[in-house]
Amino acid sequence: HHLHNCGCHADPGLSCGMSAASRRVLSVQSHVVHGYVGNRAAVFPLQLLGFEVDVINSVQFSCHTGYPAITGQRLSGDDLRTLVQGLATNEVLDHSYLLTGYIGTVSFLQEVIKLREMLPASCRYVCDPVMGDNGKMYVPEELVAVYRSEVLRHVAVLTPNQFEAELLAQRKIGSIQDAAATCDILHGLGPKVVVLTTLDVPDATRGGQDIAMMLSQGGQRKWLLRLPNISGGPFTGTGDLTAAMLLAWTELLPHEMPLALETAGAVLQAVIQKTVAASEARTIGGKRVPPELRIIDSKQDVESPLVRLRCHLVEPLDIAGILLDADVLLEDR
């Protein structure tokens, strides 16, 4: 299946016999009144693919933070605990997936850990550790340590961008091989599956003409997916949509992880293409604001993604012999 280069449709209806009742997601992310980020980018696509989604909004803002005015409310850790206790008391805290995105405070993140511990042991935690991008953090720095020491051991699927992966692994990524080594460090902290949702290094992006993503399963070879770099962004909400689609397609294609990444990538590309075809960036209050993702227009692309671009295996660096010789030399001394 993997070696075809022709376009093919991934069909959620054929992939798995589970009902929506057994595909229950608890999604803890941001909410905006206008636009498509956080839960607004994740929930509708998951529902289209047959998932029951219960929603907790970590914040409620008028628009995402790329707009000039940021107004709204934040849910506190105590607020989250109150909601979760109500779900538990009413015996509906039985989700098969926990999905988390933007979390702005340590107290809220620590309540998320308690929430995970209250969910069934079989619940898979898909964590998008939203902390920053392009070298700039937009959460307090102390969240990094909490993710590293307390959160990641509970996580099944981790979906950081390159900058977030660097923060969590405490190492810089300058090449595809660096990215592979970073994934291995992250596996050591807990997650069985790591997807770097952005990999912005010259050998991965072919000098900027592509965007690149890497899939890593603990103890297995890495896969690299290159997608055309579509101008007009940066688009807000793409990471939230990608994490949701990775949750969906790793569930629907559990034994074909590379195809799951390809399918999530196909959805992302289709949504961005529809977005740039429909509207351009606007200047609002002196600030350039790229268009909102056209999630609703992309309904068919979410339901029946057309996979045109395939992953390829990352060749490992062949240095095992050198390391082994060094060990032998040390023993001889």
Short mmCIF file of all heavy atoms in Angstrom, two decimals, residues 6-30:
data_model
loop_
_atom_site.label_atom_id
_atom_site.label_comp_id
_atom_site.label_asym_id
_atom_site.label_seq_id
_atom_site.Cartn_x
_atom_site.Cartn_y
_atom_site.Cartn_z
N CYS A 6 0.42 6.68 -6.87
CA CYS A 6 -0.83 7.25 -7.37
C CYS A 6 -1.62 7.81 -6.20
O CYS A 6 -1.45 7.38 -5.07
CB CYS A 6 -1.65 6.17 -8.06
SG CYS A 6 -2.04 4.80 -6.97
N GLY A 7 -2.52 8.76 -6.48
CA GLY A 7 -3.39 9.26 -5.43
C GLY A 7 -4.37 8.19 -5.01
O GLY A 7 -4.89 7.46 -5.84
N CYS A 8 -4.60 8.05 -3.72
CA CYS A 8 -5.61 7.10 -3.28
C CYS A 8 -6.37 7.69 -2.10
O CYS A 8 -5.83 8.48 -1.34
CB CYS A 8 -4.99 5.75 -2.91
SG CYS A 8 -4.07 5.74 -1.37
N HIS A 9 -7.62 7.30 -2.00
CA HIS A 9 -8.46 7.82 -0.92
C HIS A 9 -8.34 6.94 0.30
O HIS A 9 -8.41 5.72 0.21
CB HIS A 9 -9.94 7.86 -1.36
CG HIS A 9 -10.26 8.99 -2.27
ND1 HIS A 9 -10.41 10.28 -1.82
CD2 HIS A 9 -10.44 9.04 -3.62
CE1 HIS A 9 -10.71 11.07 -2.83
NE2 HIS A 9 -10.71 10.35 -3.95
N ALA A 10 -8.16 7.56 1.45
CA ALA A 10 -8.24 6.84 2.72
C ALA A 10 -9.70 6.89 3.17
O ALA A 10 -10.31 7.94 3.18
CB ALA A 10 -7.34 7.49 3.76
N ASP A 11 -10.23 5.74 3.54
CA ASP A 11 -11.66 5.66 3.87
C ASP A 11 -11.84 5.23 5.31
O ASP A 11 -11.56 4.08 5.66
CB ASP A 11 -12.36 4.65 2.94
CG ASP A 11 -13.86 4.59 3.18
OD1 ASP A 11 -14.33 5.21 4.15
OD2 ASP A 11 -14.56 3.91 2.43
N PRO A 12 -12.28 6.15 6.20
CA PRO A 12 -12.43 5.79 7.61
C PRO A 12 -13.46 4.69 7.81
O PRO A 12 -13.38 3.91 8.74
CB PRO A 12 -12.88 7.09 8.28
CG PRO A 12 -13.42 7.94 7.19
CD PRO A 12 -12.67 7.55 5.95
N GLY A 13 -14.44 4.60 6.95
CA GLY A 13 -15.50 3.60 7.10
C GLY A 13 -15.00 2.19 6.95
O GLY A 13 -15.57 1.25 7.49
N LEU A 14 -13.91 1.99 6.19
CA LEU A 14 -13.42 0.65 5.93
C LEU A 14 -12.31 0.25 6.89
O LEU A 14 -11.87 -0.88 6.90
CB LEU A 14 -12.87 0.57 4.49
CG LEU A 14 -13.86 0.85 3.37
CD1 LEU A 14 -13.13 0.82 2.03
CD2 LEU A 14 -15.00 -0.15 3.38
N SER A 15 -11.84 1.20 7.67
CA SER A 15 -10.59 0.98 8.38
C SER A 15 -10.74 0.22 9.69
O SER A 15 -9.82 -0.42 10.14
CB SER A 15 -9.92 2.32 8.69
OG SER A 15 -9.83 3.08 7.51
N CYS A 16 -11.87 0.33 10.30
CA CYS A 16 -11.97 -0.21 11.66
C CYS A 16 -13.44 -0.41 12.01
O CYS A 16 -14.28 0.40 11.65
CB CYS A 16 -11.34 0.79 12.63
SG CYS A 16 -11.17 0.18 14.30
N GLY A 17 -13.74 -1.49 12.70
CA GLY A 17 -15.13 -1.79 12.98
C GLY A 17 -15.67 -1.14 14.24
O GLY A 17 -16.79 -1.43 14.66
N MET A 18 -14.91 -0.27 14.87
CA MET A 18 -15.35 0.34 16.12
C MET A 18 -16.47 1.34 15.88
O MET A 18 -16.51 2.00 14.86
CB MET A 18 -14.17 1.05 16.79
CG MET A 18 -13.07 0.13 17.26
SD MET A 18 -11.66 1.07 17.86
CE MET A 18 -12.31 1.74 19.37
N SER A 19 -17.35 1.46 16.86
CA SER A 19 -18.41 2.46 16.77
C SER A 19 -17.93 3.76 17.39
O SER A 19 -16.93 3.80 18.10
CB SER A 19 -19.65 1.96 17.53
OG SER A 19 -19.37 1.93 18.91
N ALA A 20 -18.70 4.85 17.13
CA ALA A 20 -18.34 6.14 17.71
C ALA A 20 -18.33 6.08 19.23
O ALA A 20 -17.54 6.78 19.88
CB ALA A 20 -19.31 7.21 17.21
N ALA A 21 -19.20 5.24 19.81
CA ALA A 21 -19.27 5.13 21.27
C ALA A 21 -17.95 4.65 21.86
O ALA A 21 -17.59 5.01 22.98
CB ALA A 21 -20.40 4.19 21.67
N SER A 22 -17.21 3.82 21.11
CA SER A 22 -15.93 3.33 21.61
C SER A 22 -14.77 4.21 21.16
O SER A 22 -13.62 3.93 21.46
CB SER A 22 -15.70 1.89 21.15
OG SER A 22 -15.75 1.81 19.75
N ARG A 23 -15.09 5.29 20.42
CA ARG A 23 -14.08 6.27 20.02
C ARG A 23 -14.42 7.60 20.67
O ARG A 23 -14.76 8.56 20.00
CB ARG A 23 -14.07 6.44 18.50
CG ARG A 23 -13.52 5.28 17.72
CD ARG A 23 -13.33 5.69 16.28
NE ARG A 23 -13.00 4.55 15.45
CZ ARG A 23 -13.55 4.29 14.27
NH1 ARG A 23 -14.47 5.09 13.78
NH2 ARG A 23 -13.17 3.23 13.59
N ARG A 24 -14.33 7.65 21.98
CA ARG A 24 -14.71 8.85 22.72
C ARG A 24 -13.46 9.66 23.05
O ARG A 24 -12.53 9.16 23.67
CB ARG A 24 -15.47 8.49 23.99
CG ARG A 24 -16.82 7.83 23.72
CD ARG A 24 -17.71 7.83 24.95
NE ARG A 24 -17.97 9.18 25.42
CZ ARG A 24 -17.94 9.55 26.70
NH1 ARG A 24 -17.64 8.68 27.64
NH2 ARG A 24 -18.19 10.80 27.03
N VAL A 25 -13.47 10.91 22.64
CA VAL A 25 -12.34 11.82 22.85
C VAL A 25 -12.74 12.91 23.84
O VAL A 25 -13.82 13.49 23.72
CB VAL A 25 -11.92 12.49 21.52
CG1 VAL A 25 -10.75 13.44 21.74
CG2 VAL A 25 -11.59 11.44 20.46
N LEU A 26 -11.88 13.18 24.82
CA LEU A 26 -12.01 14.36 25.66
C LEU A 26 -10.94 15.35 25.20
O LEU A 26 -9.74 15.07 25.31
CB LEU A 26 -11.83 14.01 27.14
CG LEU A 26 -11.96 15.17 28.13
CD1 LEU A 26 -13.31 15.88 28.01
CD2 LEU A 26 -11.76 14.68 29.57
N SER A 27 -11.37 16.46 24.63
CA SER A 27 -10.45 17.43 24.03
C SER A 27 -10.37 18.68 24.91
O SER A 27 -11.37 19.37 25.10
CB SER A 27 -10.93 17.80 22.63
OG SER A 27 -10.04 18.72 22.02
N VAL A 28 -9.18 18.95 25.44
CA VAL A 28 -8.95 20.10 26.32
C VAL A 28 -8.05 21.07 25.55
O VAL A 28 -6.83 20.86 25.46
CB VAL A 28 -8.28 19.68 27.64
CG1 VAL A 28 -8.14 20.88 28.58
CG2 VAL A 28 -9.06 18.56 28.32
N GLN A 29 -8.65 22.10 24.98
CA GLN A 29 -7.92 23.05 24.14
C GLN A 29 -8.57 24.42 24.24
O GLN A 29 -9.60 24.58 24.87
CB GLN A 29 -7.91 22.60 22.67
CG GLN A 29 -7.29 21.23 22.44
CD GLN A 29 -7.03 20.98 20.97
OE1 GLN A 29 -6.27 21.70 20.34
NE2 GLN A 29 -7.66 19.95 20.42
N SER A 30 -7.97 25.37 23.52
CA SER A 30 -8.52 26.72 23.52
C SER A 30 -9.77 26.80 22.63
O SER A 30 -10.00 25.94 21.77
CB SER A 30 -7.47 27.71 23.02
OG SER A 30 -6.99 27.29 21.75
#
